[in-house]
Amino acid sequence: MKKILFYTNQFFGGLGSEDTAYAAPEVREEMVGPAMGFGAALKDVGEIVATIICGDNFYAENMDEGRAFLRQQIEKYQPDLVIAGPAFNAGRFGIACGDVCKTAKEMGVEAMTGLYEENPAVEMFRKDCYILQVAKSAAGMRKAVPLMAGFAKKLLTGEKLGSPKAEQYYAKGQRVNIFREKNGAERAVDMLLKKIKGEEYETELELSTYEKVDPSTPIADLSKAKIALCTTGGMVPMGNPDHMVAATAKFWKAYPIAGDKMEGGEWESVHAGFDPVYANEDPNRVTPYDMLKMLEKEGIIGDVYPELITTTGNSTSVADATRMGQEIAERLISAGVNGVLLTST
């Protein structure tokens, strides 16, 4: 009987929600949360010998410690497979699952997880491990478990895997030679004819597509324009009163700003993608409010919108970024803002 080590977060592990997101990793020699569904589906080929539970924030902010704990459990239990998640579109959880799988693979243990296509962890870890395509939220758990369990069974038994599309996992960027009855030119012509006739066909080379955004009309007279300052640098009032996250943000905040500059000691950056020491020393390095106020005094711009719009851009999904952008735009338009200075890191 093959041995399986399971990883999940504080929510699915039954510890709590955001209030326990800093929970340190622990291991239980039982099936906890989704592990029970996987255990039942895989009982003929494998046994889940233990469940690792770790808070999302803890793993995101203490990755070295999280990896060290995982390595200890892998050495202890000697699993044949590590299953993490599924994390759906949960960014912090997804990154933890991806990192867990990557760490397991580095130790010579097969690993897999399940993520929604817009989870930032897909692009971060798709080349390192198998990531099954699952729904956006935990409402898709009933479909995710049998899909992932079926794939896990193939990994455990050594059954030959099909293509990424057939198995429903994200392509890992590997090229595999296969033989076809027709050569490439003939297949291309066949696809073209089907497209012309309006018939269904399947491309052999999928191209990435990105949304095209038309630029706004230029501001006619900057000297009369109201300009807002926005940032994805995670800049918040000292103490982070609204618990802005260090990565995979799903919300934004607006904070009053006044005076001629943002003072050190009153603001801090919680962004986990860079060392914030110099940003905290002088917040204007990330959010140049002092420069905007100077332009206002010189009459180059009309006035500065009296709020800082802030979020954390680190690993934020395209869907969440799009939604937040629309929400912020609505607020600024209603306030008569004519232009935005958006700073990053």
Side-chain angles (χ1 to χ4, degrees):
M1 186 71 72
K2 301 289 186 178
K3 292 186 292 185
I4 305 166
L5 188 60
F6 195 85
Y7 176 88
T8 193
N9 70 349
Q10 82 281 357
F11 178 77
F12 289 109
L15 300 183
S17 186
E18 285 299 317
D19 57 321
T20 56
Y22 282 98
E26 61 177 270
V27 62
R28 300 183 189 178
E29 292 188 342
E30 59 180 320
M31 293 181 288
V32 180
M36 292 186 284
F38 282 92
L42 295 170
K43 63 182 180 180
D44 294 334
V45 295
E47 174 189 7
I48 295 178
V49 294
T51 303
I52 297 174
I53 305 171
C54 182
D56 287 334
N57 285 352
F58 183 95
Y59 200 98
E61 298 179 21
N62 304 275
M63 279 192 167
D64 288 340
E65 190 173 340
R67 291 169 187 147
F69 185 87
L70 173 67
R71 293 188 185 102
Q72 291 174 358
Q73 308 317 313
I74 289 177
E75 291 174 357
K76 177 181 178 180
Y77 293 103
Q78 295 293 304
D80 299 287
L81 176 66
V82 171
I83 299 177
F88 304 102
N89 199 31
R92 289 168 296 164
F93 187 21
I95 291 174
C97 288
D99 195 70
V100 163
C101 291
K102 180 180 180 180
T103 302
K105 289 284 288 184
E106 291 172 348
M107 296 183 69
V109 179
E110 190 59 85
M112 59 174 286
T113 185
L115 303 173
Y116 179 62
E117 62 184 357
E118 290 188 357
N119 193 307
V122 172
E123 291 305 315
M124 293 172 66
F125 298 103
R126 65 192 303 167
K127 294 183 179 180
D128 301 305
C129 60
Y130 290 110
I131 304 177
L132 276 292
Q133 301 171 8
V134 298
K136 187 173 184 179
S137 71
M141 183 69 80
R142 289 187 177 181
K143 292 184 178 180
V145 171
L147 172 66
M148 293 178 63
F151 190 79
K153 187 174 293 186
K154 290 184 178 182
L155 292 178
L156 290 169
T157 59
E159 183 179 342
K160 184 177 180 180
L161 299 176
S163 66
K165 185 171 184 178
E167 302 288 359
Q168 297 183 56
Y169 68 87
Y170 298 102
K172 301 173 71 176
Q174 299 174 346
R175 293 183 179 275
V176 180
N177 290 326
I178 59 174
F179 293 95
R180 297 286 179 88
E181 292 182 1
K182 295 183 178 181
N183 63 33
E186 292 174 312
R187 299 199 305 276
V189 171
D190 288 343
M191 282 189 283
L192 176 60
L193 292 174
K194 288 182 178 180
K195 183 175 183 178
I196 292 173
K197 295 176 181 178
E199 300 175 354
E200 291 187 6
Y201 67 94
E202 183 177 331
T203 181
E204 296 180 18
L205 182 62
E206 294 186 9
L207 301 177
S208 299
T209 57
Y210 300 93
E211 181 182 2
K212 292 183 178 180
V213 180
D214 295 327
S216 300
T217 302
I219 297 174
D221 188 353
L222 277 175
S223 66
K224 297 179 181 179
K226 179 184 290 187
I227 306 299
L229 179 58
C230 300
T231 185
T232 59
M235 190 62 69
V236 296
M238 185 62 69
N240 194 11
D242 295 299
H243 306 289
M244 178 65 69
V245 295
T248 63
K250 294 185 178 296
F251 65 91
W252 56 275
K253 287 293 178 180
Y255 295 110
I257 45 178
D260 292 329
K261 65 178 182 178
M262 296 174 65
E263 299 288 349
E266 296 180 4
W267 300 84
E268 65 176 323
S269 174
V270 297
H271 197 291
F274 68 98
D275 187 340
V277 171
Y278 295 108
N280 295 345
E281 183 181 88
D282 183 358
N284 300 279
R285 288 172 172 151
V286 172
T287 49
Y289 178 67
D290 56 347
M291 293 293 100
L292 279 179
K293 293 300 290 184
M294 182 183 71
L295 295 174
E296 180 186 55
K297 287 182 178 180
E298 294 177 356
I300 295 176
I301 62 174
D303 56 64
V304 180
Y305 180 66
E307 288 184 323
L308 171 66
I309 307 295
T310 182
T311 188
T312 305
N314 187 23
S315 297
T316 297
S317 73
V318 173
D320 285 325
T322 301
R323 172 184 52 78
M324 288 191 284
Q326 292 170 341
E327 293 170 355
I328 292 169
E330 290 174 3
R331 182 187 184 101
L332 296 181
I333 290 172
S334 66
V337 171
N338 306 108
V340 173
L341 176 63
L342 173 61
T343 65
S344 183
T345 53

